[in-house]
Amino acid sequence: FGFGLGGPIVRDRLWFYAAYSPSYRNEDVKLPGLGYYPDETRSQIFAGKLTWKASESLDITATVLGDPTKRKAVGSIYLGQVTTLNFANPDPELAEITAGGYTASAEARLIASKSAILQGALSWNTRNDRHMPSTQQGEGEINYYNNETATQSGGYPERVSVTNTSIAGQISGTFLLGDHLFKSGIGYKDLTLDCDINGFWLTRYSDTYYETL
């Protein structure tokens, strides 16, 4: 379900629009040797917009968007799955996942004269991906994988937190010079990545060969 609503705030000057559309998904996922476990996803999807006619020559628009998502996941590993035929306990596959992000932007358009139009824009965006164990055993124990029997046990194998953030801005102008149209502008963009990924597992290949991370 969801809704959208819009209309004037100040007649002929200021308008708004807002929308909200939550999403819910439930699924039972089978873990070999253990049975079924619930996988639940909740997304809060929204949008908002303000349009302001500040004057006959100046228009300003502001927009916000978002889709923050939380999931109680079964079998979703950020670093990739390994082939597992049996689980000694469910904790290696049970995770709390946060995903989605937010965007905010503003744009302005100014008719400076009959021969000049100026435009400007500014935006901010952030997205987060986070995978963490959802049980006490998943948090407290290392993950153990027996390669000979394709069996997993112990705890959740990873701790992941990845955040991408960007800030961008630009200014441009369109000018009519006699019979010629001239366009010019400048832009700026800054990207930030905050990445923290850790693995906690021990793999057994044989009685004498083990690999850990």
Side-chain angles (χ1 to χ4, degrees):
F1 67 94
F3 72 87
L5 180 65
I9 299 175
V10 179
R11 185 177 178 181
D12 298 330
R13 285 293 181 184
L14 184 62
W15 298 263
F16 82 98
Y17 177 78
Y20 175 60
S21 181
S23 174
Y24 305 95
R25 184 181 66 84
N26 298 319
E27 179 183 4
D28 288 331
V29 178
K30 186 177 181 179
L31 296 180
L34 295 177
Y36 289 88
Y37 289 80
D39 189 310
E40 304 173 351
T41 303
R42 303 288 183 267
S43 298
Q44 311 299 328
I45 303 170
F46 65 87
K49 184 177 182 179
L50 284 175
T51 302
W52 179 31
K53 189 172 183 61
S55 68
E56 292 302 317
S57 59
L58 177 60
D59 296 315
I60 299 174
T61 301
T63 304
V64 293
L65 304 169
D67 64 341
T69 299
K70 290 187 177 182
R71 178 182 173 194
K72 290 184 177 295
V74 181
S76 180
I77 306 298
Y78 188 87
L79 297 175
Q81 295 278 24
V82 294
T83 300
T84 303
L85 300 179
N86 291 287
F87 288 91
N89 57 291
D91 309 272
E93 294 287 283
L94 303 181
E96 295 278 353
I97 296 178
T98 301
Y102 305 90
T103 298
S105 63
E107 298 181 1
R109 180 175 180 269
L110 173 66
I111 303 176
S113 67
K114 293 182 179 180
S115 60
I117 298 176
L118 302 177
Q119 293 176 296
L122 183 65
S123 66
W124 169 84
N125 174 267
T126 186
R127 177 179 176 84
N128 177 253
D129 290 291
R130 192 169 185 269
H131 291 231
M132 295 293 172
S134 64
T135 67
Q136 185 174 359
Q137 183 172 347
E139 172 72 30
E141 294 186 14
I142 192 171
N143 178 268
Y144 178 73
Y145 179 70
N146 188 323
N147 189 68
E148 291 185 321
T149 61
T151 300
Q152 276 199 76
S153 61
Y156 189 66
E158 63 186 14
R159 311 290 187 271
V160 175
S161 180
V162 179
T163 301
N164 294 279
T165 304
S166 67
I167 299 174
Q170 65 177 33
I171 298 174
S172 63
T174 304
F175 307 93
L176 181 62
L177 303 175
D179 295 330
H180 302 281
L181 192 65
F182 175 72
K183 293 184 178 181
S184 180
I186 187 172
Y188 169 82
K189 190 170 187 179
D190 179 73
L191 301 176
T192 302
L193 174 62
D194 185 359
C195 185
D196 186 9
I197 300 177
N198 295 281
F200 300 90
W201 66 76
L202 176 66
T203 301
R204 177 187 183 275
Y205 293 96
S206 67
D207 288 337
T208 58
Y209 181 27
Y210 289 80
E211 184 178 73
T212 187
L213 180 66

